[in-house]
Amino acid sequence: MSNITNLVEEIKKLTIVEVSELVKALEEEFGVSAAAPVAVAAAPAGAAAPAAEEKSEFTVELAEVGANKIAVIKVVKDITGLGLGEAKALVDAAPKAIKENVPTAEAKEIEAKLKEAGATVKLK
């Protein structure tokens, strides 16, 4: 059981994109689909609604840039700590995740700053 615990701890360190890639690789390697078992394991009978309410970390996604692209790039640069070129590339790639696994308060703050700059934002 120790190996499984260690594996779970390593998976916790991965980003959402990396976990998605891992699932795809495992599906291809073993010829299985994780869709049904993951849904059953993630949401036991009667537990789906409370689990959604308890979400404390979000991924902030820039859905649309809006009319004021320069202001959005500046906000993304400040939020992420990226250079101007990287921030512009991220904004140009919208819809794109700006920050992953951020606490609720920080996610709401980021959302407000981006909306103020004219962007459309989704919290996932």
Side-chain angles (χ1 to χ4, degrees):
M1 198 62 172
S2 176
N3 288 338
I4 293 174
T5 304
N6 291 339
L7 185 57
V8 168
E9 291 302 316
E10 289 299 315
I11 291 172
K12 284 181 183 179
K13 296 176 187 175
L14 299 175
T15 66
I16 294 170
V17 173
E18 291 170 330
V19 171
S20 175
E21 291 171 358
L22 173 63
V23 169
K24 287 178 186 175
L26 290 172
E27 288 175 338
E28 289 174 9
E29 178 70 26
F30 297 107
V32 296
S33 174
V38 170
V40 172
E53 294 173 18
E54 296 175 12
K55 188 168 183 175
S56 62
E57 290 187 341
F58 294 89
T59 296
V60 180
E61 181 182 280
L62 177 63
E64 293 180 25
V65 178
N68 199 351
K69 184 176 178 180
I70 293 172
V72 174
I73 292 171
K74 287 179 182 179
V75 172
V76 168
K77 180 181 175 288
D78 291 341
I79 290 169
T80 60
L82 295 173
L84 188 59
E86 292 94 357
K88 181 185 179 303
L90 200 150
V91 169
D92 287 341
K96 184 80 171 169
I98 300 296
K99 279 195 120 176
E100 296 179 344
N101 302 324
V102 293
T104 304
E106 184 180 350
K108 294 286 186 185
E109 182 180 323
I110 293 169
E111 178 185 32
K113 287 179 181 178
L114 286 167
K115 284 185 175 182
E116 184 178 318
T120 304
V121 182
K122 292 181 183 176
L123 297 181
K124 294 183 176 186

